[in-house]
Amino acid sequence: MLDHLPEEQRASPSAPGARRGIGSGLWLVLWALWTLAVAIAGYLGWRADILAGRPYNLLGMAIDAVMVGIIGLIVLTVIEIRIEARR
């Protein structure tokens, strides 16, 4: 579909999918916090296994990280919606 658009429309900020409204700095901070939350969830699962002397529970760590990731994405969406509503 993009092959049929003139070069000006492909690079323009009004093209579909372009980020408008929320500042790119805030967008970057929100995604960095989400990434950090997922990494911390994995680390805490690993640390709990190490302190208890159990073998690594990779499936449990993956499930924890996925759950934190999904909840984090929902929170990010709510934050972005509220920020866009104020503009």
Side-chain angles (χ1 to χ4, degrees), residues 20-80:
R20 285 191 271 162
I22 189 169
S24 62
L26 180 59
W27 180 78
L28 182 66
V29 168
L30 290 174
W31 279 101
L33 288 174
W34 177 81
T35 304
L36 186 63
V38 172
I40 288 173
Y43 170 75
L44 290 177
W46 172 80
R47 181 169 161 77
D49 287 341
I50 291 296
L51 291 176
R54 297 181 298 225
Y56 301 137
N57 183 4
L58 294 178
L59 180 62
M61 287 191 305
I63 291 171
D64 290 343
V66 167
M67 291 304 298
V68 169
I70 291 171
I71 292 169
L73 287 175
I74 292 170
V75 170
L76 281 178
T77 303
V78 169
I79 290 171
E80 288 182 358

Side-chain angles (χ1 to χ4, degrees), residues 1-18 20:
M1 175 111 186
L2 287 177
D3 296 334
H4 302 294
L5 292 175
E7 186 64 34
E8 300 85 32
Q9 286 183 340
R10 280 188 230 160
S12 72
S14 63
R20 285 191 271 162

